[in-house]
Amino acid sequence: MKYGLIKVAAAIPGVRVADIDYNVKQIKSLIAQAEDRGVEIVVFPELSLTGYTCQDLFRQQLLLDKSEEALLELLEFSRKLDVISIVGIPVRIGSLLYNCAAVIQQGALLGVVSKTYLPNYSEFYEKRWYASAADLMPQEIYLAGIHVKVSNEPIVFRTVDGVGFGIEICEDIWAPLPPSNNLALAGADIIFNLSATDELIGKHDYLCSLLSQQSARMMCGYVYSSCGFGESSQDVVYGGNAMIFENGRLLGKSERFSMEPQLQIQQIDIDCLRNDRQNNTTFRTAQVGAISRVINTMPVGEHPFELIREIDPHPFIPTDSSMTADCEEILNIQTMGLCRRLEHTHCDKAVVGISGGLDSTLALLVVVRAFDKLGLSRSGIIGITMPGFGTTDRTHDNAVSLMTSLGITQREISIAKSVIQHFEDIGHDAKVHDVTYENSQARERTQILMDVANQVGGLVIGTGDLSELALGWCTYNGDHMSMYGVNAGVPKTLVQYLIRYLAQLPAFAEQRDVLIDVVDTPISPELTPADEQGNIQQKTEDLVGPYELHDFFLYYILRWGLSPSKIFLLAQRAFQGHYSDEVIRHWLKTFCRRFFNQQFKRSCLPDGPKVGSISLSPRGDWRMPSDASSALWLKDIE
C-alpha cells in the first residue's frame, strides 16, 4: 500500500448459466487483467462460478462437483499471482448447501464466507436451496483439496500492509443489521459485496443510496459487484452493477446493461478512512464489543505505484449537479447565523467595511439577505468605504455601485490623514512601505468600523475568509477582528464561486455586472500605492501564492490529516499541466510555515458560522497550540 492507497476492482465477467467451464475462463481473464493493472483485491458477483440463476440445478451433484473443480482450477491459476480474488461459489458443508464467497491468493484458499440473509420473497427463493451462515457451526472442511475453517463468526481478512477487509453477500446489505456493521467496527477498512441484484424501476437509485449510506455510516470503502448479461432473463433482468464507494462518495461505476465483461478499478484512500474513524468518537464508542476472526493474506511482491484516482483541484467547490442546493445551503447557514446574532443582541444595525473586493462583497450580500429575512430596513446596513494609499478607482467604484444599488446607508471615510498622523506619532517614515505601513492602515479601518458600530448601536460584520485565517493573511487586531465573522467558514475559492452564483439570481440582477467584475478583479489588500496607470500593484497571490493551491492544501491537511508528501502527490495529479512540481512544492512549504506560525491569530477569533467540513474556530474544530513547531512538516516537504 503506497501513500495509504489500495487499488481494488469490481469485476463483471461474461456468464452462461450452469456453464462452469465458460464462467471460469471469463473469471480467469479478468483476474489476469487485474493483476496486470496492479489491482490488490478484486471481487466478482454472487455465485459467479455457476451463475446466480441456476435455481433447482443447485440440487444437482454434477453442478456442485464441477464448481469445486473450478475453484481448484482458479487456485492453480492464481499460484503466481499477488492479486486477492473473491469469487462466488455454492459450497456443501455437511448436509447443507451454502451461498459462499471464496477468497483466493497465490494458490491458497484464504477463507470461505457464507451469506447470512437469504431473500425468500417476491422473485427470490434462496431458502429453497441454501442455508444461512447463522446455521453454520464452526468446523473444518475439505474444499478444492484444501482444509479450511468455516463458521458463523465474522471474518476480517488482513493484508500484509495492514488493510482489513470483510465480505458480505447481496441481501446482507439490505438487512436491518448488515454483517458489514460488525465487520467495519471490528477493523475492516473495506467491504466487498458479491451480489445478484435484478433491475426494477427505481431500484438502482435506491441501491446506490443504500451503498453510499452504508459506506458513509461505517466510514469504509465499499466495493460492489453484481451479475449482469448472461444470467437468465426468464423472469427478471440483471444489469451488471460494479460500484466502488469511499466514505459515501462514489468513486466509479460500470456501464449498466452492457453485454461486455467489465473491470471497474479504483484506489481507496485508507488514510482518509482511518482519519475519520480516529476522530469520530461515536464510531470509537460503537467499536466496543465488535468481534471477528482475523485471516492474514499472503506476502506480495513489489508493484510500481500509479495514482489512478481523479483528484478534484477545487475540493470546496460544489459539483454542477448540486450547485444550486449547495450554494443555497451555504448562504442560508451564513444568513441564519447572522440573523440569530442580530436577534440575540437586539440589533437593527450592521456595519460593514466595503472595499470592492471578494470578501466584503460576499459579506455584504449575506447581511442584505439577513436583513431582508428579519424584515429590517436595508438602511440599517451601514456600508463604509475607507479609501487609503492603495485604493484604486476600480474597487472604489464597484463598492459604491454595489451599495447604491442595494439601497443601504453609505459612508466614505478616508484613512489617509489619520494614518499619516499616526506615522508621525510613532515616528514612521511614510515612504517606507513595510509591514508597519500596511498594518497601520488595516488597524485604522477596524477602529473606524468599531467606533461607528458603537455610534449607531450596531455590530461590525467581519469579512475575512477561511483561507486568510489559515494563512494568517490578516492584520492582528485589524481586519482579524469583528463582532461576527460571516465568512469565517468559507474558503477563498468558494467565496468567488458563491458571488458568481449570486450574480445569476434574479434577486441580484441589478448588481450582476458589478459582481462579475468583483470576481474578476485581482485579489489585493490594496495597502500599497497603485501603479502609474492606477491599477492594483499589490496582488495577494503574487505574495502568498495561488489560493486554489492553498485551499487544496488546507482541505487535505485539515479534513484528512494527510502528510505534505501525500498532498504533494495529489496536487501533482490535480494540477497537472497547470503548476510545475517546483511551484507546488514552494507554495506547500509556504502554506505549512504560515499555518503553524499564524496560529496565534486563530486562537482568538470572533464568532462565525461553520459551513462545511472544515473550521478553524478555536472553540470548535481546530485546537492547536500557538507555539507548535512546523519542523516535521517542513522536513517532509524537503
Side-chain angles (χ1 to χ4, degrees):
M1 185 173 62
K2 303 284 181 64
Y3 295 101
L5 298 164
I6 182 170
K7 190 181 288 187
V8 298
I12 304 176
V15 63
R16 293 176 184 168
V17 178
D19 188 345
I20 294 176
D21 289 337
Y22 175 85
N23 296 341
V24 77
K25 287 178 183 177
Q26 295 292 310
I27 291 171
K28 286 163 66 175
S29 174
L30 290 179
I31 290 175
Q33 290 180 43
E35 174 78 7
D36 288 344
R37 296 174 65 179
V39 171
E40 292 158 86
I41 310 173
V42 58
V43 62
F44 289 84
E46 184 175 8
L47 296 168
S48 44
L49 283 175
T50 59
Y52 175 77
T53 50
C54 289
Q55 299 187 49
D56 282 355
L57 292 178
F58 286 122
R59 292 176 172 175
Q60 295 292 306
Q61 285 297 123
L62 180 61
L63 185 79
L64 301 180
D65 290 343
K66 189 62 180 177
S67 297
E68 190 169 353
E69 290 176 18
L71 180 59
L72 183 59
E73 184 178 343
L74 283 178
L75 287 167
E76 183 62 31
F77 174 75
S78 72
R79 194 168 296 279
K80 295 183 179 180
L81 304 181
D82 287 334
V83 63
I84 299 167
S85 303
I86 307 170
V87 297
I89 180 175
V91 178
R92 289 172 295 188
I93 302 176
S95 60
L96 299 177
L97 186 65
Y98 293 85
N99 181 343
C100 294
V103 183
I104 62 177
Q105 182 192 24
Q106 296 179 3
L109 180 58
L110 300 178
V112 174
V113 176
S114 177
K115 186 173 184 176
T116 300
Y117 295 99
L118 304 174
N120 223 59
Y121 55 84
S122 300
E123 62 266 35
F124 297 104
Y125 298 94
E126 286 193 29
K127 288 186 178 180
R128 180 178 176 89
W129 311 295
Y130 297 107
S132 165
D135 304 323
L136 184 57
M137 300 302 296
Q139 58 191 286
E140 188 175 89
I141 64 171
Y142 190 66
L143 179 65
I146 297 174
H147 290 279
V148 61
K149 182 180 178 182
V150 295
S151 69
N152 57 9
E153 63 185 332
I155 299 174
V156 171
F157 297 85
R158 196 163 296 282
T159 72
V160 290
D161 293 318
V163 177
F165 68 91
I167 296 167
E168 58 187 6
I169 302 175
C170 199
E171 184 74 9
D172 289 345
I173 186 59
W174 299 80
L177 291 174
S180 51
N181 284 14
N182 184 85
L183 290 168
L185 293 171
D189 301 293
I190 307 172
I191 303 298
F192 291 89
N193 188 314
L194 306 82
S195 188
T197 298
D198 58 334
E199 301 294 340
L200 302 171
I201 294 175
K203 187 174 184 179
H204 180 72
D205 289 342
Y206 185 90
L207 172 65
C208 291
S209 175
L210 182 69
L211 299 179
S212 173
Q213 285 297 314
Q214 185 67 356
S215 170
R217 182 179 297 108
M218 305 316 299
M219 301 180 201
C220 67
Y222 203 101
V223 186
Y224 180 90
S225 174
S226 182
C227 54
F229 186 78
E231 290 286 356
S232 173
S233 58
Q234 182 176 2
D235 291 303
V236 294
V237 169
Y238 297 85
N241 283 300
M243 293 183 281
I244 301 175
F245 291 85
E246 179 186 283
N247 205 357
R249 183 167 68 96
L250 178 65
L251 299 182
K253 62 180 180 179
S254 62
E255 177 189 348
R256 292 171 67 208
F257 303 112
S258 171
M259 298 174 66
E260 302 300 322
Q262 297 185 74
L263 191 65
Q264 174 59 225
I265 300 175
Q266 296 291 334
Q267 282 172 324
I268 291 177
D269 197 322
I270 302 300
D271 284 347
C272 291
L273 295 173
R274 290 178 176 173
N275 178 76
D276 264 9
R277 289 181 175 184
Q278 175 184 315
N279 293 335
N280 190 297
T281 56
T282 301
F283 188 90
R284 298 207 306 263
T285 302
Q287 284 184 296
V288 176
I291 58 170
S292 71
R293 177 161 61 98
V294 176
I295 295 178
N296 294 315
T297 65
M298 309 297 286
V300 298
E302 281 292 320
H303 293 277
F305 176 77
E306 176 193 10
L307 181 64
I308 65 169
R309 286 168 68 101
E310 289 300 319
I311 307 298
D312 186 353
H314 304 115
F316 290 111
I317 303 301
T319 60
D320 290 341
S321 60
S322 64
M323 179 189 72
T324 299
D326 287 351
C327 286
E328 283 299 322
E329 188 82 356
I330 294 164
L331 291 164
N332 283 335
I333 291 171
Q334 292 178 277
T335 301
M336 292 305 292
L338 180 56
C339 284
R340 178 68 184 111
R341 184 54 53 98
L342 290 168
E343 181 188 57
H344 176 72
T345 54
H346 305 291
C347 265
D348 59 1
K349 300 288 191 303
V351 178
V352 192
I354 309 299
S355 67
L358 286 167
D359 294 338
S360 66
T361 296
L362 178 60
L364 175 58
L365 297 177
V366 169
V367 175
V368 167
R369 285 168 61 108
F371 269 60
D372 290 350
K373 194 171 191 69
L374 290 170
L376 299 175
S377 170
R378 290 188 183 181
S379 63
I381 304 171
I382 295 90
I384 305 178
T385 54
M386 294 169 283
F389 307 131
T391 303
T392 61
D393 290 342
R394 182 179 184 180
T395 55
H396 177 267
D397 292 348
N398 280 339
V400 172
S401 296
L402 193 60
M403 291 189 289
T404 301
S405 63
L406 290 170
I408 70 169
T409 299
Q410 297 181 54
R411 293 186 65 177
E412 182 163 312
I413 304 172
S414 173
I415 65 169
K417 288 183 179 180
S418 55
V419 172
I420 289 173
Q421 178 63 54
H422 180 62
F423 288 160
E424 292 177 4
D425 292 342
I426 67 173
H428 181 76
D429 185 351
K431 295 178 182 179
V432 178
H433 298 169
D434 59 3
V435 67
T436 303
Y437 179 88
E438 294 185 11
N439 287 353
S440 294
Q441 296 175 69
R443 292 193 179 100
E444 177 61 25
R445 285 179 171 133
T446 300
Q447 175 177 270
I448 290 170
L449 294 173
M450 292 288 183
D451 291 345
V452 170
N454 292 159
Q455 188 180 54
V456 301
L459 297 180
V460 174
I461 307 304
T463 61
D465 63 52
L466 183 67
S467 305
E468 293 180 342
L469 294 174
L471 292 164
W473 193 251
C474 53
T475 299
Y476 192 78
N477 205 34
D479 52 315
H480 160 259
M481 195 50 58
S482 68
M483 297 173 184
Y484 193 75
V486 292
N487 293 338
V490 186
K492 186 75 78 178
T493 50
L494 184 54
V495 171
Q496 294 172 313
Y497 191 89
L498 288 172
I499 293 175
R500 285 193 186 277
Y501 167 76
L502 287 165
Q504 305 309 311
L505 298 182
F508 297 106
E510 187 180 347
Q511 294 82 31
R512 182 167 300 156
D513 291 343
V514 175
L515 294 179
I516 295 301
D517 193 59
V518 167
V519 173
D520 293 338
T521 301
I523 301 169
S524 172
E526 294 191 315
L527 295 172
T528 59
D531 63 20
E532 294 179 356
Q533 289 74 40
N535 297 318
I536 293 172
Q537 184 167 258
Q538 184 187 30
K539 297 178 181 178
T540 298
E541 292 183 294
D542 290 344
L543 301 170
V544 78
Y547 273 113
E548 63 177 349
L549 279 179
H550 287 310
D551 282 359
F552 186 88
F553 304 151
L554 173 65
Y555 177 79
Y556 281 101
I557 285 180
L558 262 67
R559 176 65 182 89
W560 302 113
L562 300 186
S563 66
S565 56
K566 183 167 180 178
I567 294 170
F568 177 72
L569 172 79
L570 300 180
Q572 282 180 303
R573 179 61 180 268
F575 297 100
Q576 190 173 15
H578 192 53
Y579 295 110
S580 69
D581 288 358
E582 200 49 51
V583 167
I584 294 171
R585 188 197 312 273
H586 171 77
W587 293 122
L588 179 57
K589 185 175 182 179
T590 297
F591 179 89
C592 289
R593 177 179 55 80
R594 292 192 64 95
F595 185 78
F596 276 82
N597 292 351
Q598 302 292 314
Q599 171 62 25
F600 73 97
K601 295 179 182 177
R602 299 188 292 267
S603 293
C604 53
L605 285 180
D607 292 353
K610 176 181 177 180
V611 303
S613 58
I614 291 173
S615 166
L616 287 170
S617 168
R619 299 165 295 276
D621 289 36
W622 191 250
R623 304 178 191 198
M624 170 183 170
S626 298
D627 47 7
S629 170
S630 60
L632 282 178
W633 284 259
L634 296 178
K635 185 177 180 181
D636 191 54
I637 294 170
E638 294 303 323

